Amino acid sequence: MTERQANAGPAAGRVYLVGAGPGDPELLTLRAVRLLQQTEVIVYDHLVSSAVLDFVSPSAERIYAGKRRNEHTMRQEQINALLIKLALEGKHVVRLKGGDPFIFGRGGEELQALAAHGVAFEVVPGVTAASGVSSYAGIPLTHRDFAQSCLFVTGHLKDGTADLDWPSLVRPNQTVVVYMGLGGLADICRQMMAHGAAPDLPIAVVQDGSIASQRVVTGTLADIPERVAREGLRSPCLTIIGHVVSLHDTLAWFRPDRSSTAA
Ligand code: SAH
């Protein structure tokens, strides 16, 4: 009998791919909280906030899978192999990822690996950064006076340049949300202007959205790289581009200095 057959049936393990949201633990789903409290092994990424990890059962085993840019604690194949191994041992495992596991989170790839090994899994969605971070920055992504569509793109650089579909990014009446874009911010702004976007198009860069260290820097395509550098923003940062950003001035509501006070 193979190891896989031996572990099939009621005693078989299971992997829960769970979204941890952008940071504020109040944004966890009920399902996520229940699983964090009941599951024996948690494998988590660096984007998961410490306040979210406070919900993990004290008796659970915590495994840090890392994955900061340029500093991959575990390679993706190692993470996949670990999840498969734990599940085949009969364990119930929460694979905890920042935001939503299906939005730039490689959650789909992990599930493909599990499926290939016959491991059972479930997915618990989370509040993705575009949604959670923009809410906490007071920027309604599709306020109808300004935008009829919203694009989510990754600004992750390959070979030093972001390889994006620039003509689609500069369409009018649209909001563009860039994940992982801090390193490529200057390049993104330059390319958008080169493809016809107005230099005074509003843009916001939000660091640590929804937690106490949240910072919002606003500007225009022309001046934001310099402003962000001056303010010393660091990862993780979400970039929001479009006229909706102008609403931040009146709709910003989150006071990070008071975020630890429960309502
Ligand atoms: N699956 C995640 C995204 C993973 S990619 C999600 O759905 O949100 C990682 C990128 O997400 C970061 O580089 C940053 O651009 C963004 N991000 C995630 N959490 C954030 C936060 N609290 N504040 C700002 N940006 C965040």
Side-chain angles (χ1 to χ4, degrees), residues 18-25 28 43-53 63-69 71 73 95-101 103-106 127-130 133 178-181 206-211 213 234-238:
V18 178
D24 183 348
L28 285 166
V43 180
Y44 65 99
D45 280 351
H46 84 276
L47 264 184
V48 175
S49 72
S50 57
V52 164
L53 290 173
I63 302 174
Y64 176 60
K67 283 229 260 119
R68 212 181 298 267
R69 214 169 144 236
E71 182 217 296
T73 309
R95 173 68 177 115
L96 191 59
K97 286 179 164 284
D100 182 280
I103 307 270
F104 301 124
R106 302 189 73 171
V127 174
T128 190
V133 173
V178 188
Y179 287 71
M180 297 175 278
V206 187
Q207 170 194 299
D208 291 341
S210 86
I211 58 177
S213 44
R234 49 161 181 77
S235 271
C237 277
L238 191 80

Side-chain angles (χ1 to χ4, degrees), residues 49-83:
S49 72
S50 57
V52 164
L53 290 173
D54 285 345
F55 281 83
V56 172
S57 155
S59 62
E61 183 185 354
R62 299 165 183 223
I63 302 174
Y64 176 60
K67 283 229 260 119
R68 212 181 298 267
R69 214 169 144 236
N70 304 330
E71 182 217 296
H72 287 205
T73 309
M74 285 173 85
R75 289 203 329 274
Q76 189 62 49
E77 303 76 47
Q78 293 174 302
I79 297 171
N80 296 350
L82 173 70
L83 296 174

Side-chain angles (χ1 to χ4, degrees), residues 129-180:
S131 175
V133 173
S134 63
S135 294
Y136 277 61
I139 301 173
L141 294 180
T142 62
H143 188 296
R144 66 177 186 165
D145 289 350
F146 302 102
Q148 279 70 55
S149 63
C150 180
L151 277 185
F152 294 179
V153 301
T154 169
H156 194 64
L157 301 177
K158 264 192 186 154
D159 312 326
T161 52
D163 187 17
L164 292 165
D165 178 10
W166 302 109
S168 77
L169 259 59
V170 298
R171 286 196 197 114
N173 307 318
Q174 145 178 294
T175 304
V176 177
V177 178
V178 188
Y179 287 71
M180 297 175 278

